[in-house]
Amino acid sequence: MSAVLPGHDRPVDKLGGHWILARVGKKVLRPGGRETTDYLLAHSPIAGHDVIEFAPGLGVTAAALLERGPASYVGVDADPHAAAQLQSRIPATARTVVADCAATGLPAASADVVIGEAMLTMQTDRNKLAIMREAHRLLRPGGVYAIHEMGLAPEAIPEAVKVDIRKALARSIRVNSRPLTLGEWARLADEAGFDVVSVHDTSMGLLDPTRMLADEGVLGTVRIIINIARQPDVRRRVLDMRRVFLANRDHLRGVGLILRKR
């Protein structure tokens, strides 16, 4: 898989943290792990309904969605390479489009469910809102927008601590991550025209051994560890990310929200 990953030809030092982990074989790249993705799928009306997924990435959630028998599936990705790779893995009856998730060009009121994971966190608050409003436009009345993102805790976390965490994440994963508290996610959703139906809150254990075993299985975890050990430049990046996650474990969360269009 690593030979065809988006950005596979870029130096390891320049790659985003999620593609570093994908390079060593990690399939579940979401902050709240498989448990949070499963929560979103269990609380969304997928079978027989029209589904749009924002930024499908490696296609792990796309495969789980398609197993549930949606009436239609459309994956939206701004990266042409990622979109092409996903299209090669899904049935011809499903499709991908290359577009900005804030302006997909898809018809209004064409979906019953929009799902997006680990993509809003990497946007400014203004862009977060623009993407949420596009999800609102795409959904039929009463439709569900399911999101899985990085959260911050506690609710009253000082602004200075937020800034320090964002800087540490940016240095480590080479992506400008801007996680929010649950209250901030809810307020942004409200501004975009959604009601919060339910919330799943868990630890941000992306590189935690217990979470790795739950997400990747024993063989998958062993394979990842071996791949990391064999590549010193990758090992340095992964260990640095893990240090940042551990240093901020009291504040970082994985959150899933089921939102309903008003």
Side-chain angles (χ1 to χ4, degrees):
M1 178 181 290
S2 60
V4 293
L5 288 171
H8 71 279
D9 55 343
R10 297 180 62 194
V12 166
D13 191 54
K14 303 295 184 183
L15 277 177
H18 54 302
W19 293 127
I20 288 286
L21 296 177
R23 178 175 285 193
V24 297
K26 197 169 192 325
K27 296 179 180 179
V28 179
L29 302 171
R30 314 308 192 187
R34 194 180 296 275
E35 68 170 86
T36 304
T37 298
D38 288 346
Y39 178 87
L40 298 186
L41 300 183
H43 289 78
S44 300
I46 297 165
H49 290 83
D50 296 312
V51 177
I52 296 173
E53 184 180 8
F54 287 169
L58 297 179
V60 173
T61 299
L65 286 164
L66 289 166
E67 286 176 359
R68 286 162 170 77
S72 69
Y73 170 89
V74 180
V76 180
D77 206 304
D79 186 321
H81 186 83
Q85 289 299 313
L86 177 62
Q87 189 66 63
S88 71
R89 299 187 188 112
I90 60 178
T93 51
R95 67 187 180 106
T96 61
V97 297
V98 179
D100 186 336
C101 290
T104 64
L106 296 171
S110 59
D112 302 299
V113 177
V114 174
I115 184 167
E117 296 185 281
M119 51 88 63
L120 290 173
T121 300
M122 296 185 286
Q123 308 291 328
T124 64
D125 288 357
R126 180 177 178 178
N127 288 344
K128 285 180 175 69
L129 183 58
I131 292 168
M132 285 183 154
R133 283 177 169 160
E134 177 66 355
H136 189 276
R137 185 187 73 83
L138 293 172
L139 286 165
R140 299 180 179 113
V144 166
Y145 182 27
I147 65 173
H148 175 179
E149 299 293 338
M150 195 182 295
L152 288 175
E155 198 63 43
I157 182 172
E159 189 62 32
V161 176
K162 289 184 188 179
V163 171
D164 287 344
I165 291 173
R166 289 167 182 164
K167 288 180 178 178
L169 289 171
R171 286 193 300 267
S172 177
I173 65 177
R174 309 291 195 268
V175 174
N176 287 322
S177 294
R178 296 179 64 84
L180 303 176
T181 67
L182 272 172
E184 289 169 336
W185 282 117
R187 286 190 287 277
L188 207 59
D190 177 69
E191 189 173 352
F194 292 98
D195 293 322
V196 177
V197 176
S198 63
V199 173
H200 183 76
D201 179 22
T202 188
S203 62
M204 209 298 285
L206 192 61
L207 294 174
D208 176 77
T210 302
R211 175 70 61 73
M212 289 268 288
L213 287 168
D215 286 348
E216 311 292 341
V218 175
L219 291 179
T221 300
V222 170
R223 189 180 305 114
I224 291 166
I225 292 170
I226 291 172
N227 287 338
I228 291 171
R230 287 176 173 171
Q231 303 175 69
D233 51 350
V234 169
R235 184 169 66 248
R236 283 192 293 271
R237 288 290 310 277
V238 173
L239 290 177
D240 183 58
M241 284 188 282
R242 189 168 190 272
R243 279 193 293 270
V244 170
F245 294 159
L246 285 174
N248 295 284
R249 60 186 171 185
D250 291 340
H251 297 300
L252 292 175
R253 308 293 297 167
V255 297
L257 288 86
I258 299 295
L259 311 174
R260 191 175 303 282
K261 177 177 178 175
R262 287 199 291 269

